[in-house]
Amino acid sequence: MTKQATPPPPHDRPAPTAPPPPPAWRHWLWPMAILLALGLWFALPQTRGGGAAPTDLTYSQFLSDVDAGRISTVSIEGSNGRSSGRFTDGSDYTTVIPVQLAGPALLDRLAAKHVAVTATAPSSSPSVGVQILDWVLILGPFLLIIWFWRRLSRGASGQMQGALGVSKARARVFDTERPQTTFEDVAGYEGAKEEIAEVVDFLRHPDRYRRAGATAPRGVLMVGPPGTGKTLLARAVAGEAEVPFLSVVGSGFVEMFVGVGAARVRDLFAEARKRAPAIVFVDEVDALGGRRAAPGAIGGNDEREQTLNQLLSEMDGFEPTTGIVVLAATNRPEVLDPALLRPGRFDRQIVIPLPTLAERRAILTRHCLGKRLDLDVDLERVARATPGFSGADLANLANEAAITAARADRDTLTATDFDQARDRILLGRREGSNVLLPAEKRAVAVHEAGHALVAALQPQADPVAKVTILPAGQALGATEQLPLVERHLHGEDYLRQTLSVQLAGRAAELTALGQGSTGAANDLARATELAGRMIREFGLSPALGPVGYPHPGPAFLPGSGGLPGGAGRPYAESTQALIDGEVSRLLREAEQQAVDLLATHRGSLDRLVELLLEDETVDGSAVYDILGLPRPEQDQAPGATVAPHPRAASGG
Ligand code: ADP
Ligand code: ZN
Ligand code: MG
């Protein structure tokens, strides 16, 4: 069963918001600084020397003042006659004495009035202190502005390149730390922890691996929906191994300018090599590890490709014994470039699914440590009521419950607090998340139970391995079928039974709920495609006879190739009508088969639905138990190889 709408998968965490662009008034800073400095320059001569401004006298005024006995001192500068002095009332004056006139006559005149005369050498300069003050006052604004400018630019590193010709500013985009997180902090996910424990061991004893000539893991890709604790697990690996943790968000590499991201990748790995053994963690690797465009394609992203290529060559470049392990996380593995997944790169993948009931309980317990719970709080019940919640949702739930209690001024959390918190998160988080309403959960259980029962009831269909109503990606639930043997040839009975298994989800909805739903859209599309190939390509229609119109390979234009009604159709209009009729007949027959089977085993259907609602994930053997059938065994097909991929066929 799949979701109807296909919203873009939400990112792990909100994409880091770009730093705010520098304010526009920044560009006025320089002119302002210059004006200010000029202003100060002109203002300074007046302030120099301090005290009240001296009176400016003309030479004749000076003479008359001398004669009137109002001058007490005068100091004459040697060559240019600039003079200053003090009146008898204590205030200062300046004047210029014409050099030609500064002869003995003037001196006599001054002496007669008892004026103290000093002669100074020219270029009398203000004291050193005053000079320094001048310079500080003039340069100060410039220094201030420069400091201010740099602060602003740092906030907008990368974006303002070019504004001042600062190209390729290499801001560090990664954080280095030594996390204290341990596996204890990650509740549940024992399988994932076991898988990744190998990395911890390698980081602790890289030389042991080197001596044994073993190649240690280089890259581990963690795949799972947002909030399932991928980042947490990566930090726990670093914490357990007691090594530095260099983390970066994939989108942090990708810049507007080609080459910047690649330079950053180089920096990151240079730093990691310096600190080895170390963990490099690339969060949201899909932001840079998306499929590279085909050569010559329009709209390729040069910068991202260069960054990705650099990452790949860095991963190839370091010696396996260096002690650097690259961990990466993504919630969209399907968009990753296949080159990233090749051996020697992220060759190990750890799937981190949404937590199961037991894991949800463990996570809740973990996040209720240090919170006082009322006696009526049953975390098992809370876990049961929160299918589809991720670890982050559950952490949030525990916190919301505590907030509710705090608002009511209580220090113990009650069951009602948890209920209210859950409802709030349910309402708030449904958009774009996997959280299901109870009625939806029931519909998903009915749908998947239908797939599972019909698969188990038909002898040729692949046996049921697992049924789950835990959402994963776009799928709201899934029925996994494991073929007993790897088949190279499919008989008509197998194909027909596969069709009825595919249609059984919808059949169960019709049987048990009285109406279909949007959840069957994907099933219907797949069944219709299979039925179409049975008729057109495999010659399985008596009405059409032994003809085959093979699927014309990859289409030039998406959606045009081989589709009924397409322009390149190799058969007549009337044949198309015949094919359509036959496809619809096959599908109807398959659906009838499923409906009949489910109607006869109505009791089993209801029991399986209840079991699914209770446990969420049900093992295939439980399905056969409910039906009272023996579970198909491998040895029924002697000498057969077991199917290599567990996810081979899924009833969706
Ligand atoms: P992801 O990187 O997968 O999106 P995070 O690692 O950022 O998820 O998880 C977000 C938060 O959810 C964590 O900080 C932690 O509080 C909580 N959380 C998620 N999974 C677990 C878990 N298994 N045990 C305890 N807490 C968890
Ligand atoms: Zn389905
Ligand atoms: Mg994360």
Side-chain angles (χ1 to χ4, degrees):
M1 184 176 241
T2 46
K3 274 191 219 176
Q4 162 73 344
T6 50
H11 266 276
D12 253 9
R13 68 168 98 140
T17 45
W25 47 262
R26 191 172 49 112
H27 295 287
W28 291 102
L29 287 178
W30 284 109
M32 266 164 51
I34 291 165
L35 279 180
L36 200 62
L38 280 178
L40 277 172
W41 177 256
F42 285 116
L44 272 176
Q46 267 94 66
T47 57
R48 242 176 273 180
T55 324
D56 225 354
L57 301 179
T58 62
Y59 183 55
S60 10
Q61 271 172 347
F62 171 70
L63 284 184
S64 63
D65 280 348
V66 168
D67 292 343
R70 278 201 294 272
I71 301 290
S72 102
T73 68
V74 64
S75 107
I76 304 165
E77 223 171 74
S79 59
N80 54 15
R82 194 175 296 156
S83 309
S84 58
R86 189 154 289 177
F87 290 113
T88 41
D89 66 0
S91 59
D92 294 333
Y93 69 87
T94 57
T95 187
V96 176
I97 300 170
V99 190
Q100 314 86 305
L101 301 179
L106 176 65
L107 288 178
D108 289 349
R109 205 162 162 181
L110 291 172
K113 293 293 172 188
H114 309 288
V115 178
V117 179
T118 1
T120 54
S123 84
S124 76
S125 54
S127 72
V128 182
V130 171
Q131 259 183 325
I132 291 179
L133 190 73
D134 283 359
W135 281 110
V136 167
L137 281 175
I138 291 165
L139 291 182
F142 279 101
L143 292 175
L144 207 73
I145 298 283
I146 288 173
W147 170 79
F148 203 58
W149 178 278
R150 291 181 55 126
R151 251 182 56 124
L152 282 178
S153 342
R154 207 170 318 141
S157 66
Q159 291 181 350
M160 59 147 300
Q161 296 172 7
L164 253 194
V166 189
S167 64
K168 301 203 175 159
R170 277 205 212 160
R172 278 157 70 106
V173 288
F174 53 90
D175 301 322
T176 313
E177 52 176 328
R178 278 176 176 272
Q180 299 300 312
T181 318
T182 64
F183 282 160
E184 285 275 285
D185 297 312
V186 188
Y189 296 114
E190 297 306 327
K193 282 194 239 174
E194 233 163 72
E195 278 186 70
I196 216 161
E198 187 193 357
V199 174
V200 175
D201 194 52
F202 166 67
L203 287 169
R204 278 205 183 146
H205 316 283
D207 35 329
R208 194 198 285 169
Y209 281 72
R210 191 178 48 232
R211 281 201 305 273
T215 326
R218 262 173 213 244
V220 180
L221 180 66
M222 290 183 287
V223 178
T228 45
K230 297 181 294 295
T231 310
L232 188 69
L233 192 60
R235 296 172 60 86
V237 172
E240 289 278 333
E242 296 172 357
V243 297
F245 182 73
L246 286 81
S247 69
V248 69
V249 179
S251 52
F253 280 132
V254 183
E255 282 286 346
M256 211 159 50
F257 297 91
V258 175
V260 176
R264 288 182 179 168
V265 171
R266 235 174 288 128
D267 278 0
L268 173 65
F269 278 86
E271 183 75 20
R273 248 178 246 116
K274 235 186 284 167
R275 292 169 183 260
I279 285 185
V280 173
F281 177 59
V282 187
D283 210 350
E284 284 152 36
V285 69
D286 46 275
L288 87 145
R291 253 163 234 282
R292 284 168 290 184
I298 304 163
N301 186 334
D302 272 352
E303 159 65 356
R304 215 192 52 196
E305 277 174 30
Q306 276 204 13
T307 310
L308 176 58
N309 287 338
Q310 186 66 37
L311 180 70
L312 292 180
S313 72
E314 290 285 353
M315 288 192 74
D316 289 340
F318 58 75
E319 284 290 302
T321 48
T322 319
I324 300 174
V325 175
V326 185
L327 299 185
T330 179
N331 48 37
R332 298 190 296 166
E334 68 282 353
V335 304
L336 288 185
D337 195 294
L340 265 180
L341 308 177
R342 273 215 300 270
R345 291 159 181 175
F346 293 106
D347 43 359
R348 253 163 252 225
Q349 289 193 31
I350 299 185
V351 179
I352 316 245
L354 285 172
T356 60
L357 177 61
E359 283 166 347
R360 288 203 301 272
R361 214 211 119 112
I363 295 171
L364 277 170
T365 312
R366 164 105 223 134
H367 286 278
C368 285
L369 289 181
K371 295 189 175 69
R372 218 176 297 162
L373 301 186
D374 204 23
L375 281 180
D376 67 346
V377 177
D378 180 4
L379 289 183
E380 173 81 24
R381 222 204 64 186
V382 180
R384 223 168 254 292
T386 48
F389 274 49
S390 66
D393 288 331
L394 293 168
N396 188 15
L397 174 75
N399 189 43
E400 285 277 335
I403 288 174
T404 316
R407 257 196 231 120
D409 204 17
R410 279 179 282 117
D411 47 7
T412 34
L413 318 190
T414 64
T416 332
D417 294 338
F418 278 95
D419 285 349
Q420 282 182 8
R422 186 194 75 124
D423 290 347
R424 207 158 29 208
I425 293 171
L426 259 180
L427 290 178
R429 284 272 289 127
R430 270 178 57 75
E431 183 67 30
S433 92
N434 292 310
V435 175
L436 289 184
L437 293 179
E440 291 172 335
K441 192 178 163 193
R442 175 157 215 105
V444 176
V446 167
H447 182 105
E448 297 305 331
H451 284 306
L453 285 184
V454 172
L457 282 168
Q458 304 198 95
Q460 291 297 316
D462 293 327
V464 182
K466 197 174 103 181
V467 197
T468 178
I469 57 168
L470 270 184
Q474 283 305 300
L476 293 175
T479 301
E480 265 177 34
Q481 291 171 272
L482 264 185
L484 287 179
V485 295
E486 181 79 273
R487 296 184 198 239
H488 301 293
L489 183 74
H490 299 288
E492 184 177 354
D493 52 354
Y494 173 85
L495 295 176
R496 279 173 170 270
Q497 293 183 11
T498 301
L499 278 185
S500 57
V501 172
Q502 282 174 348
L503 294 174
R506 185 179 123 90
E509 288 176 44
L510 294 176
T511 309
L513 305 173
Q515 61 168 1
S517 75
T518 54
N522 192 30
D523 291 339
L524 291 179
R526 282 173 38 187
T528 309
E529 167 159 359
L530 176 58
R533 295 188 66 192
M534 285 167 70
I535 308 290
R536 287 194 312 271
E537 297 177 33
F538 309 146
L540 295 179
S541 154
L544 213 64
V547 291
Y549 304 106
H551 210 278
F556 287 108
L557 290 172
S560 76
L563 286 183
R569 191 176 53 198
Y571 37 76
E573 194 73 40
S574 57
T575 316
Q576 177 66 58
L578 198 59
I579 291 175
D580 288 345
E582 285 293 276
V583 166
S584 125
R585 177 185 61 84
L586 261 189
L587 291 175
R588 273 176 205 286
E589 283 172 10
E591 183 181 52
Q592 195 53 49
Q593 169 79 354
V595 169
D596 287 349
L597 281 172
L598 290 173
T600 356
H601 296 88
R602 182 62 204 267
S604 304
L605 177 65
D606 290 341
R607 244 172 298 147
L608 184 54
V609 169
E610 290 313 318
L611 192 62
L612 275 172
L613 287 174
E614 184 81 3
D615 291 352
E616 291 165 13
T617 301
V618 171
D619 194 65
S621 57
V623 177
Y624 290 94
D625 286 350
I626 286 180
L627 287 168
L629 293 174
R631 191 177 182 180
E633 294 295 337
Q634 231 117 63
D635 47 51
Q636 283 180 349
T641 47
V642 179
H645 26 255
R647 296 192 158 260
S650 118

